[in-house]
Amino acid sequence: MSENVQEKKKVIFSAIQPSGTITLGNYLGALKNWVKLQDDYHCLYAVADLHAITVRQDPKAFRQNILNAYALFMACGIDPEKSPFFIQSHVHTHAELAWVLNCYTQFGELSRMTQFKDKSQKHADNINAGLFTYPSLMAADILLYQADLVPIGIDQKQHLELTRNIAERFNGIYGNTFKIPDGYYAKTGAKVMSLQDPTKKMSKSDENVNAWVGLLDKPETIMKKFKRAVTDSDAEVRVGEGKDGINNLIGIMSAVTGKTPDEITADFAGKGYGDFKTAVGEAVVEEIRPIQERFNDYINNKDYLEAQYRKSAEFALHLSQRTLDKVMKKIGYLPK
C-alpha cells in the first residue's frame, strides 16, 4: 500500500455499515462495483461501525456483525493489499474530524436530510443526536482522505451534496483545505428493488423475508425467494412501464450475467415468468457460490482477518492524520 495515493490515480473512498446481513442489493449496487474500481483508482474502504450505533446494538451480535462484514467484503473481492480496508472505529481521526465538522454544519441543513426524517419515524423511541449529525460524520469519512470520488446510489446524493457544502464552507473561511468530492454513479446494478414490492429498494429491514436475498442465504432459500417474486399479468419478459417486478428481475439478471436487457429479453422470448424467475435465481446462486466459499475460509481464520484490518487501520490513520492536523492548525488549535 503506497502512501503516495494521490500521485496519479484518483482517490475513491466508500464505507458500508456492518448490518447483520449483506443483501444482494448491497452487493450489486455497491460491493461489486467497489471490486472493479480497485484496478483504476486508489481506493480506501471501511466498515462503517461508528455510523451503526445510531440504532441500539446488542454488543455480542454487533461485534460478530463487524467481523462478518469484513470477511464478506473480502470474499466479494475487496483486497486489503491493494485497497486499504479498515474498520472505521479503529481510526480515531473520523470521530475527531466529525466533531469539528459538526461546528461547520448548519442545523437547518441537517434537519432537511430525508434519511433523518425517515429513520426518526422508524425509531421514534430513539431520535438521538447521532442520528441527526450522522451526515457530518459521513462528511468526515470522505474529506479525511481528500477523496476525488465517492461511489453512491441516488439515495445518498443528498449526503454527498452536504459534504461538498461543508467542505466549500470550510475552504471559504480558512483557505484550501479539503478536496471537493464528486459522486461516482455506477452504470448498472445501481438499484435492486424488493422482490415483493418492486417499487421499494431491497432492504434487509423489510419485514417480509421473501423481499430480499442475503449473500449468505442457502441456494434453496434463494431459489424459493425468486420463485415467489412479484411480477405482473402481462406474462412477457420485457422491460416496460407497469412491469416493475420484471424490470427488477431483468436488472438483476443483467448485473450477474453481464448480458444486456435486450439480450435477456431475446433469450426468454415466448417463455413464461416461471422459467424466467427460476433462471434468475440460478444465476444469482452461481454468482454467490464462490463468495460464500471464500467467506467461510476467512471467517474461520480470524488471525488473518485481524492482521488485515490492523494493517489497513494503521495506514488509514497515518494518511487521515495529515488532513486532521491541517484542519486543527487552520482553526487555531495548539499543536500536540
Side-chain angles (χ1 to χ4, degrees):
M1 289 182 287
S2 162
E3 282 184 26
N4 247 337
V5 298
Q6 296 180 39
E7 195 171 272
K8 292 176 186 170
K9 296 179 181 177
K10 287 191 171 181
V11 176
I12 277 185
F13 175 85
S14 198
I16 194 165
Q17 284 197 41
S19 57
T21 308
I22 306 298
T23 70
L24 180 68
N26 300 136
Y27 173 64
L28 296 179
L31 282 170
K32 197 172 182 184
N33 293 316
W34 286 14
V35 173
K36 291 177 189 169
L37 292 172
Q38 294 179 111
D39 295 328
D40 300 318
Y41 298 91
H42 282 299
C43 299
L44 294 108
Y45 294 132
V47 176
D49 55 341
L50 292 176
H51 286 285
I53 64 166
T54 59
V55 176
R56 292 282 174 268
Q57 301 285 345
D58 170 75
K60 188 178 177 184
F62 186 40
R63 196 171 293 116
Q64 189 61 51
N65 286 346
I66 294 168
L67 196 63
N68 284 355
Y70 196 88
L72 189 50
F73 296 167
M74 280 183 58
C76 288
I78 299 300
D79 180 2
E81 296 294 336
K82 191 188 288 186
S83 308
F85 175 38
F86 58 93
I87 295 169
Q88 184 190 27
S89 63
H90 292 180
V91 184
H92 59 77
T93 47
H94 287 252
E96 291 174 60
L97 184 60
W99 167 251
V100 172
L101 296 186
N102 273 339
C103 301
Y104 293 85
T105 309
Q106 299 304 301
F107 188 90
E109 290 175 313
L110 293 174
S111 62
R112 286 193 292 273
M113 293 287 113
T114 53
Q115 204 166 32
F116 171 69
K117 293 172 188 172
D118 292 345
K119 289 195 173 181
S120 296
Q121 287 177 345
K122 271 188 192 170
H123 305 282
D125 59 334
N126 183 26
I127 305 174
N128 56 71
L131 191 62
F132 189 65
T133 61
Y134 175 107
S136 298
L137 175 57
M138 190 179 282
D141 297 336
I142 297 163
L143 299 177
L144 272 171
Y145 301 100
Q146 305 294 346
D148 296 287
L149 296 166
V150 185
I152 56 171
I154 301 302
D155 57 335
Q156 292 293 331
K157 199 171 181 181
Q158 193 183 27
H159 280 155
L160 181 62
E161 284 305 313
L162 179 62
T163 298
R164 289 168 57 87
N165 291 345
I166 295 167
E168 286 166 352
R169 180 176 298 130
F170 194 94
N171 288 354
I173 298 169
Y174 298 105
N176 190 28
T177 309
F178 298 121
K179 189 169 280 186
I180 310 300
D182 288 314
Y184 178 92
Y185 300 93
K187 293 180 179 67
T188 56
K191 204 165 187 182
V192 177
M193 311 307 281
S194 159
L195 297 181
Q196 292 298 307
D197 179 0
T199 62
K200 291 192 312 188
K201 195 174 175 184
M202 182 179 282
S203 169
K204 68 157 188 71
S205 59
D206 198 311
E207 289 174 7
N208 186 343
V209 293
N210 290 312
W212 53 271
V213 171
L215 278 196
L216 298 178
D217 279 356
K218 291 178 179 175
E220 56 269 29
T221 304
I222 294 170
M223 291 305 299
K224 275 182 195 169
K225 289 180 178 181
F226 275 101
K227 285 176 180 177
R228 292 171 180 167
V230 168
T231 51
D232 55 68
S233 57
D234 178 48
E236 188 182 349
V237 178
R238 63 180 174 83
V239 174
E241 278 188 43
K243 294 175 68 68
D244 296 326
I246 289 296
N247 293 343
N248 186 38
L249 293 177
I250 289 174
I252 292 170
M253 188 73 156
S254 177
V256 298
T257 64
K259 290 187 175 183
T260 66
D262 286 343
E263 288 170 335
I264 293 165
T265 300
D267 287 346
F268 289 90
K271 294 181 183 174
Y273 284 173
D275 289 340
F276 182 53
K277 289 197 278 190
T278 298
V280 179
E282 288 171 349
V284 168
V285 167
E286 286 311 306
E287 175 85 3
I288 288 176
R289 192 188 307 279
I291 293 172
Q292 293 186 348
E293 289 169 359
R294 288 192 295 267
F295 170 81
N296 288 329
D297 288 342
Y298 288 137
I299 207 67
N300 290 317
N301 191 348
K302 291 187 173 59
D303 289 345
Y304 175 73
L305 287 180
E306 184 176 335
Q308 293 299 326
Y309 64 65
R310 283 185 184 279
K311 186 164 66 170
S312 288
E314 285 173 15
F315 177 85
L317 179 60
H318 180 73
L319 189 62
S320 59
Q321 191 70 53
R322 295 179 191 171
T323 298
L324 184 63
D325 288 348
K326 190 193 293 186
V327 167
M328 302 301 265
K329 183 179 180 181
K330 290 201 173 194
I331 290 172
Y333 287 106
L334 288 170
K336 289 180 183 177

